[in-house]
């Protein structure tokens, strides 16, 4: 069936089989590789996108169920072609190594800080529990999110 997906502010009409996940449609049908394919069973967080502003594992969401709802991938964070301040904080703090977890990590952190503008480190760690990183040991990621939240609010 033809389904209209709203991806990073752009409408895309795609022919979608009802059993296809959003992750499959993004990557295999639309060639949007922002969301990474890790475990494919809702554990690693690599496939995280924002659906209506909330983080979801796109490997667990049927694409047809997202019809008409805004979907944000990591590319949707950029501002006028520049990195989002959260992305900038990740770079400054060395919170990116192989980068596989980074799109999902950024989107989860972004949504969390939107909802919790003054988080402490424990809350940041808890918010990122569903996003696994094999490389960084998490400390630099928490540093980056904390720095971003602090500077965002002035
Ligand atoms: S690929 Fe979706 S949670 Fe791991
Ligand atoms: S930077 Fe490699 S998995 Fe997180």
């Amino acid at each position: 069936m033809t389904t209209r997906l709203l991806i990073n502010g752009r409408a895309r009409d795609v022919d979608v089989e009802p059993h296809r996940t959003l992750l499959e449609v993004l990557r295999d049908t639309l060639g949007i590789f922002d969301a990474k394919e890790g475990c494919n069973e809702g554990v690693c967080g690599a496939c995280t996108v924002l659906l209506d502003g909330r983080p979801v594992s796109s490997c667990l969401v049927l694409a047809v169920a997202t019809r008409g709802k805004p979907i944000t991938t990591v590319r949707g964070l950029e501002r006028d072609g520049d990195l989002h301040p959260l992305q900038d904080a990740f770079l400054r703090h060395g919170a990116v190594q192989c980068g596989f977890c980074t799109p999902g990590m950024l989107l989860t952190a972004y949504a969390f800080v939107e909802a919790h503008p003054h988080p402490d480190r424990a809350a940041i760690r808890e918010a990122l529990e569903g996003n696994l990183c094999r490389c960084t040991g998490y400390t630099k990621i928490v540093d980056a999110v904390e720095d971003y939240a602090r500077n965002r609010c002035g």
Side-chain angles (χ1 to χ4, degrees), residues 12-33:
R12 305 287 296 266
D13 291 321
V14 275
D15 200 16
V16 177
E17 294 172 275
H19 62 281
R20 291 289 173 204
T21 66
L22 178 58
L23 180 63
E24 289 174 319
V25 171
L26 287 172
R27 293 180 64 89
D28 302 340
T29 306
L30 293 170
I32 296 173
F33 299 108

Side-chain angles (χ1 to χ4, degrees), residues 57-78:
S57 295
S58 61
C59 69
L60 296 183
V61 176
L62 292 176
V64 293
T66 69
R67 183 186 305 126
K69 297 178 184 170
I71 296 162
T72 306
T73 72
V74 70
R75 218 168 291 241
L77 290 181
E78 73 174 32

Side-chain angles (χ1 to χ4, degrees), residues 23 36-47 57 59:
L23 180 63
K36 304 302 179 194
E37 183 175 356
C39 65
N40 232 348
E41 53 186 29
V43 174
C44 73
C47 66
S57 295
C59 69

